């Protein structure tokens, strides 16, 4: 095998990623304390190959010098002519200071983990430290993505390898496999690993604890690997299953947590301009459903109610038969149109819970846009082809069932719709990671999501860096641990806190009404709420798609101030007396009673007029003014009650 240096152009970072070159010998490596030179094996280092490598290195270095990444303020002197991001240079330098057998790199999604790993692999191959490469990924699609990226730096790995093949062809330098493949037959991969000096790259290594057979298989197959590089964009799990080859140490409370050898979090990546800032567009609304007993229930999305009621209201909102999803999809498409003014190829992604709703969402989007979306329903070869085709074209929307939640590289994704019931920190971080991959400075990402307390908390703490803990703190309730997750061995776990209840109480989603709630950005909240299509909503949907993070923050504050003035100028002069509020009772109790009374009157009028509940609520808001019921004041709700009482009394 001849390893030649060349341009690095990986799928991680199309416009800013620069060519990287290999060192000609160990003396050129300032991080190495050795002057022993490179191995003398003819298949790695003959004179012709060295000359070709040096020429390619010089050409690549000269070509890259004129367009360094804006995320790279200082050109690093590491190696001969490395054009890597600053964090990649730091991580590589740290690795080659000691060249450990195991190295865990935790870098935020979109930061360039693939580029870092392949740069390290080319160096180890060139030095003769290793002579073969095994990449372990969570999905079939990611296997092919790794093979494509490796091919661009002249490393040939086989993503089609099957356990039954026994050994990869001599024209390859290694294989790309899944964690499931290793778990099914670790002996095959043990033989490959021990058949040469092997570097094992464990991509999204937290999946190594997904199933007992996977963890055991990985340990058996790769325990004697020459080097192991573990990568993760989300180095934590929702359970306490140990991640293979990861070091744990007790924290201040004695909780055993994972220890990363190098960490590059979202906060630092955002400051460096490596990832996009994310605007979370939250939507609330009134939901109504029917239980098995025939009882009608209603609740406002985002209202402080029990976990079971929240789950059922959320499920009602996601129903494609109601008004909530079409309204949110339409708003997201308007946002995509605005973003495409500055980013012409910007695309959108809707992540659905199951195949039935995914197809229904695709039909809704086709009605809205007049364009048929790309639909990805499974982790099969055809699905990978569809994802790749979408990544390379300029169409507007892709609808997927969860498989595009992790590692899949579609850099043009700028707008997302969170239309799934999954709510663990792990899945949330993985999904948001699909939208933060920056290609140039100024790009922003927008994610539309239900105004559900759990999701709002995750959105507000996007920059929080977590480590994986093997122990559960007493009384912990931080969203990182829940018993249901610990029992479900899946790559991406779904929050099933209420699923058992929903199985026992199948319900029918009767009606859903969407309303704009607020925008979350950089830990802050902006917006005063409003109807779909209102100025309050359009103020934020119309934010330009090309802004620096500080500009985003300043613009959000300005529009918040504008809305506050607008709301003050619109203060309704009804002439009605304020509803009495006994001083001995908390305000929330009075509001709760008013909401119940309003819901009862809406139901009565709906039976009389045959109008859906959502239409009645929308008309009441038009007549009386004010935000959705969840945000309405005592006076605003009382006015709506009075309007309905007048109608019911006069049968108008």
């Amino acid at each position: 095998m001849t390893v030649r240096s060349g341009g690095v152009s990986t799928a991680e970072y199309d416009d800013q990623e620069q060519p990287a070159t290999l060192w000609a010998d160990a003396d050129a490596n300032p991080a190495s304390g050795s002057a022993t030179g490179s191995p003398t094996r003819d298949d790695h280092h003959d004179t012709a190959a060295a000359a070709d490598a040096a020429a390619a290195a010089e050409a690549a270095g000269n070509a890259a010098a004129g367009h360094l990444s804006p995320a790279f303020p200082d050109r690093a002197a590491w190696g001969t002519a490395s054009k890597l991001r600053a964090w990649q240079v730091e991580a590589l330098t740290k690795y080659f200071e000691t060249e450990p057998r195991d190295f865990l790199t935790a870098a935020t999604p979109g930061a360039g983990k693939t580029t870092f790993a392949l740069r390290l692999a080319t160096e180890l191959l060139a030095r003769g430290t290793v002579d073969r490469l095994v990449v372990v990924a969570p999905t079939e699609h990611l296997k092919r993505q790794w093979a494509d990226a490796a091919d661009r730096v002249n490393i040939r790995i086989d993503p089609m390898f099957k356990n039954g093949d026994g050994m990869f062809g001599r024209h390859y330098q290694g294989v790309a496999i899944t964690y499931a493949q290793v778990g099914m037959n670790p002996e095959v991969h043990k033989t490959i690993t021990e058949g040469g000096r092997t570097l094992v790259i464990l991509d999204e290594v937290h999946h190594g604890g997904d199933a007992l057979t996977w963890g055991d298989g990985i340990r058996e197959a790769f325990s004697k690997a020459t080097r192991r590089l573990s990568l993760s964009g989300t180095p934590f799990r929702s359970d306490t299953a140990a991640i293979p080859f990861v070091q744990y140490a007790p924290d201040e409370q004695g909780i055993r947590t994972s220890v990363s050898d190098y960490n590059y979090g979202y906060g630092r990546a955002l400051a460096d301009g490596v990832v996009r800032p994310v605007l979370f567009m939250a939507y609330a609304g009134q939901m109504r459903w029917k239980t098995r007993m025939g009882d009608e229930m209603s609740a406002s999305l985002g209202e402080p109610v029990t976990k079971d009621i929240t789950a059922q209201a959320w499920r009602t909102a996601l129903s494609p038969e109601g008004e909530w999803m079409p309204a949110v999809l339409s708003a997201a498409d308007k946002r995509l149109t605005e973003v495409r003014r500055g980013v012409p190829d910007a695309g959108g992604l809707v992540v659905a819970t199951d195949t039935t709703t995914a197809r229904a969402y695709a039909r809704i989007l086709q009605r809205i846009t007049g364009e048929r979306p790309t639909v990805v329903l499974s982790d099969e070869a055809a699905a990978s082809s569809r994802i790749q085709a979408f990544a390379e074209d300029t169409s507007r929307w892709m609808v997927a069932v969860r498989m595009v939640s992790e590692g899949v590289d579609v850099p043009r994704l700028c707008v997302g719709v969170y239309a799934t019931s999954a709510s663990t920190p792990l899945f949330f971080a993985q999904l948001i990671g699909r939208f933060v991959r920056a290609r140039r400075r100024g790009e922003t990402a927008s994610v539309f999501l239900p105004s559900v307390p759990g999701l709002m908390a995750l959105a507000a703490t996007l920059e929080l860096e977590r480590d994986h803990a093997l122990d559960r703190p007493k009384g912990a309730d931080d969203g990182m641990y829940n018993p249901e997750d610990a029992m479900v061995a899946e790559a991406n776990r779904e929050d099933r806190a209420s699923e058992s209840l929903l199985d026992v109480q199948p319900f029918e989603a009767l009606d859903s009404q969407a309303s704009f709630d607020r925008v979350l950005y950089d830990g802050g909240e902006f917006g005063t709420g409003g109807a779909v299509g209102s100025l309050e909503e359009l103020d934020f949907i119309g934010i330009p798609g090309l802004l620096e993070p500080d500009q985003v923050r300043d613009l959000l504050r300005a529009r918040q101030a504008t809305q506050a003035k607008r709301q003050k100028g619109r203060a309704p002069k009804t002439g009605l007396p304020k509803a009495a509020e006994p001083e001995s009772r908390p305000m929330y109790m009075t509001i709760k009673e008013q909401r119940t009374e309003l819901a009862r009157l809406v139901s009565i009028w709906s039976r009389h007029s045959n109008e859906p509940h959502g239409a009645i609520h929308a008309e009441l808001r038009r007549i009386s003014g004010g935000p959705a019921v969840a945000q309405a004041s005592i006076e605003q709700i009382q006015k709506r009650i009075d309007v309905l009482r007048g109608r019911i009394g006069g049968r108008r």
Side-chain angles (χ1 to χ4, degrees):
M1 296 179 293
T2 302
V3 181
R4 299 173 183 265
S5 67
V8 174
S9 177
T10 74
E12 284 278 359
Y13 199 66
D14 292 344
D15 290 346
Q16 292 184 6
E17 196 63 66
Q18 310 297 340
T21 58
L22 303 179
W23 285 312
D25 52 50
D27 292 333
N29 175 11
S32 172
S34 171
T36 56
S38 302
T40 58
R41 292 177 55 183
D42 291 340
D43 59 345
H44 279 290
H45 296 282
D46 56 59
T47 303
D52 289 347
E58 182 177 0
N62 292 337
H67 57 280
L68 292 178
S69 163
F72 204 113
D74 299 313
R75 182 174 177 178
W78 192 86
T80 52
S82 297
K83 304 301 183 295
L84 299 172
R85 292 175 177 156
W87 82 263
Q88 294 164 336
V89 172
E90 288 178 1
L92 286 165
T93 300
K94 185 170 184 179
Y95 180 89
F96 283 106
E97 284 173 354
T98 58
E99 295 200 41
R101 188 178 187 189
D102 284 293
F103 194 84
L104 170 60
T105 300
T108 189
K113 292 185 294 297
T114 301
T115 298
F116 162 74
L118 291 176
R119 181 65 180 85
L120 188 146
T122 56
E123 190 60 40
L124 292 178
L125 286 166
R127 293 183 177 196
T129 304
V130 300
D131 52 33
R132 61 181 58 181
L133 176 65
V134 173
V135 177
V136 190
T139 67
E140 292 290 326
H141 179 83
L142 287 177
K143 287 183 358 182
R144 289 184 282 276
Q145 189 167 293
W146 269 98
D148 291 342
D151 189 74
R152 287 191 284 271
V153 292
N154 297 323
I155 299 177
R156 317 301 179 192
I157 58 177
D158 182 8
M160 310 303 293
F161 177 84
K162 298 179 177 61
N163 287 351
D165 297 340
M167 180 56 68
F168 58 88
R170 296 188 60 175
H171 47 287
Y172 289 112
Q173 291 165 271
V175 296
I177 53 180
T178 64
Y179 288 97
Q181 277 182 269
V182 180
M184 285 188 289
N185 195 339
E187 281 293 333
V188 169
H189 306 286
K190 180 180 181 181
T191 299
I192 292 174
T193 302
E194 296 180 4
R197 293 170 294 179
T198 305
L199 167 64
V200 177
I201 298 176
L202 298 161
D203 186 26
E204 304 298 351
V205 68
H206 53 271
H207 286 303
D210 281 342
L212 182 61
T213 54
W214 291 14
D216 292 344
I218 292 166
R219 289 186 180 88
E220 179 180 352
F222 307 129
S223 61
K224 295 186 178 180
T226 304
R227 298 287 172 87
R228 290 182 293 258
L229 174 64
S230 297
L231 306 172
S232 182
T234 50
F236 57 89
R237 296 177 55 83
S238 297
D239 58 20
T240 56
I243 303 172
F245 309 123
V246 170
Q247 180 182 354
Y248 292 86
D251 63 10
E252 297 81 4
Q253 287 79 37
I255 305 300
R256 292 171 294 165
T257 58
S258 59
V259 179
S260 301
D261 295 288
Y262 186 86
N263 194 297
Y264 187 66
Y266 175 80
R268 182 181 166 196
L270 183 62
D272 290 346
V274 169
V275 295
R276 299 168 179 152
V278 181
L279 290 166
F280 290 100
M281 315 287 287
Y283 280 73
Q286 191 71 20
M287 308 298 143
R288 188 168 62 92
W289 63 94
K290 182 182 291 186
T291 69
R292 184 182 62 176
M293 304 302 294
D295 296 328
E296 289 190 11
M297 299 185 66
S298 65
S300 293
L301 204 62
E303 188 176 32
V305 293
T306 66
K307 195 172 185 180
D308 292 329
I309 297 299
T310 295
Q312 294 177 66
W314 186 355
R315 184 172 177 178
T316 302
L318 297 182
S319 170
E321 305 302 323
E323 300 175 28
W324 194 90
M325 274 304 302
V328 172
L329 290 174
S330 179
D333 187 65
K334 291 175 184 174
R335 176 64 185 151
L336 180 59
T337 296
E338 185 62 41
V339 172
R340 284 167 76 100
R341 298 182 195 278
V343 187
D345 68 339
L349 168 66
V350 181
V351 179
T353 300
D354 55 55
T355 58
T356 301
T357 54
R359 292 189 180 99
Y361 296 161
R363 290 192 292 270
I364 295 171
L365 279 171
Q366 188 167 0
R367 290 198 301 268
I368 293 171
T369 66
E371 178 183 303
R372 187 174 182 177
T374 298
V375 181
V376 180
L377 301 177
S378 60
D379 185 21
E380 299 173 345
S384 289
S385 300
R386 285 192 288 272
I387 294 172
Q388 188 62 33
F390 181 82
E392 295 173 355
D393 66 26
T394 60
S395 59
R396 293 179 72 87
W397 285 99
M398 175 164 60
V399 182
V401 182
R402 302 191 61 174
M403 74 162 289
V404 192
S405 66
E406 180 179 41
V408 173
D409 181 44
V410 186
R412 71 185 189 90
L413 285 177
C414 293
V415 177
V417 179
Y418 197 107
T420 173
S421 56
S423 62
T424 62
L426 177 61
F427 180 79
F428 185 87
Q430 291 167 352
L431 190 148
I432 301 306
R434 300 317 98 215
F435 303 98
V436 301
R437 298 168 182 266
R439 297 174 298 176
R440 55 173 169 157
R441 290 199 74 114
E443 291 182 342
T444 61
S446 305
V447 177
F448 289 68
L449 73 173
S451 188
V452 176
L455 294 183
M456 296 297 96
L458 292 173
T461 58
L462 178 63
E463 296 183 24
L464 179 65
E465 296 178 6
R466 291 186 173 98
D467 293 312
H468 177 224
L470 288 182
D471 308 303
R472 181 180 179 181
K474 293 182 179 180
D477 187 20
D478 59 358
M480 284 295 295
Y481 301 92
N482 51 72
E484 295 79 10
D485 284 345
M487 293 187 292
V488 181
E490 298 175 338
N492 296 314
R493 284 170 173 72
E494 186 171 351
D495 187 355
R496 303 177 185 269
S498 302
E499 196 166 283
S500 60
L501 174 64
L502 296 176
D503 288 342
V504 176
Q505 292 184 325
F507 70 91
E508 177 187 359
L510 298 177
D511 186 65
S512 60
Q513 173 204 6
S515 63
F516 172 67
D517 187 5
R518 60 192 185 275
V519 172
L520 285 79
Y521 176 75
D522 193 26
E525 296 185 1
F526 305 87
T528 56
V532 171
S534 66
L535 288 175
E536 285 74 19
E537 178 195 37
L538 296 177
D539 279 344
F540 295 105
I541 286 182
I543 288 177
L546 281 173
L547 288 174
E548 292 291 324
D550 289 343
Q551 294 175 317
V552 173
R553 190 178 300 105
D554 292 342
L555 187 54
L556 288 172
R557 288 171 179 165
R559 300 209 168 170
Q560 171 86 347
T562 299
Q563 290 194 2
K565 292 179 182 178
R566 192 185 297 149
Q567 289 284 333
K568 185 177 181 180
R570 284 185 191 163
K573 299 178 181 179
T574 64
L576 295 175
K578 288 188 177 182
E581 183 185 344
E583 295 182 2
S584 60
R585 302 183 65 218
M587 181 184 294
Y588 75 85
M589 294 181 64
T590 302
I591 291 179
K592 182 178 180 182
E593 290 173 359
Q594 283 188 308
R595 289 174 180 171
T596 302
E597 175 64 7
L598 179 61
R600 185 184 72 84
L601 294 172
V602 167
S603 182
I604 292 173
W605 185 251
S606 176
R607 288 195 295 270
H608 169 73
S609 64
N610 292 320
E611 294 178 73
H613 285 219
I616 298 172
H617 278 288
E619 185 179 7
L620 289 172
R621 290 183 64 186
R622 181 182 62 80
I623 294 171
S624 306
V629 174
Q631 291 82 36
S633 67
I634 292 173
E635 293 82 4
Q636 290 165 336
I637 297 176
Q638 185 61 48
K639 184 173 182 182
R640 298 174 200 186
I641 290 173
D642 292 340
V643 170
L644 279 181
R645 281 177 177 166
R647 286 188 177 185
I648 294 169
R651 289 293 188 270
R652 292 184 287 109

